[in-house]
Structure formats: structure tokens, C-alpha cells
Amino acid sequence: MNILSIDTSNYVMGVAVIKSGTVIGEYTTNIKKNHSIRLMPAIDHLMKETNTLPEELDRIAVAQGPGSYTGVRIGLTTAKTMAWALNIPVVGVSSLEAVAGQGLFFDGYICPFFDARRGRVYTGLYNNRMKIVKPETNVSMEDWLKEVQSLDKPILFLSQDVHVYEEMVKDTLGDQAVIPEGPYHFARPSLIAFAAQRKEPDSLHELVPNYLRLPEAEAKWLAQQEK
């Protein structure tokens, strides 16, 4: 199976091509630049470098959030448009699951998270078979750490925003918390592609962003309607 995967859900922008279970090419950047301008040139470059024609793709995988509202929309729109044009399936993969995949060989629980600001995070808890132990949620980091503190296994924390909460994690969980070095905190688009191999394709028109909370503008509008 030949898969193109796309991730623009956070600062990291990544694309990858896998063919028959082998990573043929992968491109990632971790810089604050406009994904909408850079994504298609990155896809075009990688496809050419790997000698992959669009018609050779069997499916497209995409990180569907949570993360940056704009970033998630850019990735999903691109993936769905390409899938529609090529008449191939599209598969949405949780952005948190993609990060958790970095801890596949960790003997314990895996806690990916993204900073949601104001002391809150997007997070969830996985085991090393990528099964959800605690559902993905938007929650106060303080409350989340108290919730997982009672678990009887070490917990691997993975996040591009690990520096924001590292002190809190260590103060709350002590030796139960494991925080690896930098490279393990960023999702690889190839892991999204491999996850997509195990999942059923999504309905093209029903695949939508997984924000885990309403965008602020929409939340304010709804609040005004209730007055």
C-alpha cells in the first residue's frame, strides 16, 4: 500500500511517503511559518524525490487534530481535496496518537499533550500498543496529573510544549514521570501513515477537524445566542 501522509496540525509541518510498509521519504520542519504556503511545495518535492506519481497512491493520511485550528484545517482540506481528485480513500489520525507513536517501545503508559493555553492541555493516555487508556480530552494540566498519579506504571510524557509543563509534571509525579530528549517530542508524518494502515478509511465528506473544544470565536457566538 502506498500512502502519502500530511501533518500541519501544530508547528511541525510534515509529509511522508510509505510504500509497502517502507518509509520512502519524509520531510519535517519545526518552524513558525505559514503551512498554507509551504505544504503543497513540500508534497510536490517529496513526491518527485521519491519518484512517486499521484496515481500510484492508494490512500492519504492526515493529522486531524487537536492542535492549531488553522493548521488542522489546512491539512484536512489538502488531504480531502487530493483524495477526491485521485478517487482514493482518506484516513484521519489523531494528532495526539501520532505523537504517542514515538513511545511505542516504552514499558508503561504514554501521555502525549499539546498546550491549550491558560493552564489547559489537549491530552490522552495510551499504552504501548497504541490503545487508548484514557480518552483524549481538553483539561487542566493540574487536574490531569492528579488523575494519572494513581496509576501503577511509569508515564512517558511527549509534547512539543513539554517545556511549558515539565516542572509541574516532575513536581507532581516525581520518578513516575519520564521525559525524554527533544527529538521524541515531535510527531513524525511516517507514523501517521503507518497508523492509517491499521484504520478504516473515513467518509470523505464526514471527515472533520477534531478540535476537542470549540474555537473561541464560535464559543463566544454560542454564548451570545443563549442570552
Side-chain angles (χ1 to χ4, degrees), residues 78-172:
T78 302
K80 291 172 65 172
T81 301
M82 291 184 66
W84 179 81
L86 295 170
N87 194 28
I88 58 176
V90 61
V91 181
V93 176
S94 163
S95 302
L96 288 168
E97 180 183 346
V99 176
Q102 295 278 63
L104 191 61
F105 298 103
F106 180 72
D107 187 16
Y109 295 122
I110 305 163
C111 178
F113 70 88
F114 303 128
D115 182 23
R117 300 182 182 179
R118 300 175 185 173
R120 300 181 70 84
V121 292
Y122 304 114
T123 189
L125 201 69
Y126 288 78
N127 63 24
N128 58 11
R129 296 183 301 279
M130 290 298 101
K131 301 297 183 182
I132 293 178
V133 177
K134 287 185 177 291
E136 295 180 355
T137 184
N138 179 310
V139 66
S140 156
M141 184 56 139
E142 184 177 359
D143 291 343
W144 176 253
L145 293 176
K146 290 177 181 177
E147 183 177 340
V148 301
Q149 191 174 24
S150 61
L151 300 174
D152 59 353
K153 289 184 179 181
I155 302 172
L156 180 69
F157 287 85
L158 300 175
S159 175
Q160 63 178 25
D161 305 309
V162 69
H163 61 282
V164 179
Y165 295 100
E166 185 170 2
E167 185 175 344
M168 181 188 294
V169 170
K170 290 180 176 178
D171 287 346
T172 305

Side-chain angles (χ1 to χ4, degrees), residues 4 6 8 13-15 27 29 34-49 74 78 82:
L4 169 70
I6 297 169
T8 59
M13 185 193 79
V15 294
Y27 173 80
T29 60
N34 195 326
H35 292 337
S36 64
I37 296 173
R38 300 169 57 241
L39 178 57
M40 283 308 300
I43 292 173
D44 181 62
H45 175 75
L46 186 63
M47 295 281 282
K48 288 177 179 176
E49 283 290 301
I74 290 168
T78 302
M82 291 184 66

